[in-house]
Amino acid sequence: MRNSTEKAVIKEFLESPLFAGCDTSSLLGVITKNSVISSFPSGSLIMRHGKMVNSEASSPSILYIYKGKCLISSTSNADSVLRVSEEKELIGLAGVFLNKEIETKVTSFGGEKTIVLSLDTKGLNDIMDFDITNSVRNNLFRMLANKISFLNEKISTLTGGSAEKKLAMFLLGFKKDRFKISLSMSKLSSMLDIGRSSLYRTLDSFESNGAIKKEGDVITILDKDYLQNK
């Protein structure tokens, strides 16, 4: 029997873009049976090589972030931060479709506990089998295609873009207009491959031009068009 928190997590998961166009009432039972809901203190490892650290499942999992933040970094380079994932994000999609280990790790981040829902490959396949509309499968393809498009643009930006372009893409990657950057400026400059002085200048430039507002480590995006045109 699921407790009230677990029921709330599953309910919100069913409202995510993965289930757009689905008859979610028909999928509730299979999701309740196959999903694992876990809580992790800040700084603790959640997933490594696409697999949950607290699970005996041998296959990779997808991860829905119900509460908190996750830091995604490389397992091959201790200093390589790839991105920060926020609440309501779904991560790990690529891993469940690849027959090899993904060289990333996911860590609870930001000073508060992180609550996640995980589904291993078998659980995800069971959901697609129960979905007579095929919406989950189509949504997965669409989400993966969008991810590929975004990554292609990101690679192009990070290998040849200006400091302004790199920072603008990073800021636009957040799902909210107001968010906290929990990375140090040193980590962020390393992640974006720009110097710390360039990072500070670009942040100041964005603020003076009215694109963002800085309040400590909290950023509010005021003009998305400005950032998108950098």
Side-chain angles (χ1 to χ4, degrees):
M1 180 70 68
R2 295 286 191 173
N3 61 37
S4 58
T5 298
E6 291 175 332
K7 289 178 180 178
V9 176
I10 292 171
K11 179 178 182 296
E12 186 177 282
F13 179 51
L14 282 166
E15 294 170 354
S16 71
L18 179 62
F19 298 101
C22 295
D23 175 13
T24 54
S25 62
S26 66
L27 301 178
L28 179 59
V30 69
I31 291 174
T32 300
K33 176 183 176 182
N34 287 285
S35 61
V36 177
I37 297 167
S38 312
S39 176
F40 295 87
S42 180
S44 58
L45 185 64
I46 298 175
M47 181 184 282
R48 186 177 180 88
H49 298 311
K51 300 174 183 177
M52 296 294 293
V53 297
N54 65 346
S55 172
E56 296 181 358
S58 59
S59 63
S61 298
I62 61 170
L63 197 69
Y64 178 75
I65 305 171
Y66 174 73
K67 180 180 179 181
K69 297 180 181 180
C70 291
L71 183 70
I72 303 176
S73 54
S74 171
T75 56
S76 59
N77 183 342
D79 296 323
S80 178
V81 176
L82 302 178
R83 64 188 179 93
V84 176
S85 290
E86 301 266 320
E87 292 176 0
K88 302 186 186 300
E89 282 195 49
L90 188 65
I91 59 180
L93 290 174
V96 298
F97 293 105
L98 293 175
N99 189 26
K100 66 176 183 179
E101 289 189 341
I102 306 296
E103 291 191 352
T104 58
K105 61 182 179 180
V106 179
T107 307
S108 179
F109 186 66
E112 61 180 36
K113 70 177 180 181
T114 301
I115 299 175
V116 298
L117 179 151
S118 60
L119 271 170
D120 64 12
T121 305
K122 178 184 179 303
L124 185 60
N125 285 331
D126 284 350
I127 288 172
M128 289 190 285
D129 288 342
F130 271 80
D131 175 29
I132 60 174
T133 67
N134 279 326
S135 296
V136 172
R137 184 174 281 103
N138 292 336
N139 292 335
L140 277 170
F141 291 154
R142 188 177 300 110
M143 293 166 79
L144 287 169
N146 287 335
K147 183 183 284 288
I148 291 170
S149 176
F150 175 78
L151 288 175
N152 284 339
E153 183 181 355
K154 187 172 183 179
I155 290 170
S156 175
T157 297
L158 292 178
T159 55
S162 65
E164 288 188 338
K165 182 70 173 177
K166 292 177 181 180
L167 181 58
M169 173 163 282
F170 171 77
L171 296 176
L172 290 170
F174 286 86
K175 302 296 183 183
K176 306 171 185 175
D177 289 340
R178 180 180 171 85
F179 49 85
K180 181 178 180 180
I181 297 181
S182 301
L183 295 171
S184 67
M185 288 297 102
S186 177
K187 279 280 190 183
L188 183 56
S189 65
S190 175
M191 174 183 174
L192 299 178
D193 193 28
I194 58 179
R196 287 183 63 183
S197 59
S198 294
L199 176 59
Y200 282 114
R201 281 198 304 270
T202 305
L203 279 168
D204 290 342
S205 173
F206 284 177
E207 186 167 34
S208 63
N209 282 288
I212 65 170
K213 179 181 179 181
K214 292 189 301 176
E215 299 169 282
D217 55 2
V218 175
I219 300 288
T220 303
I221 295 180
L222 303 175
D223 189 345
K224 283 187 176 181
D225 288 340
Y226 178 90
L227 297 178
Q228 289 168 346
N229 290 324
K230 297 314 290 179

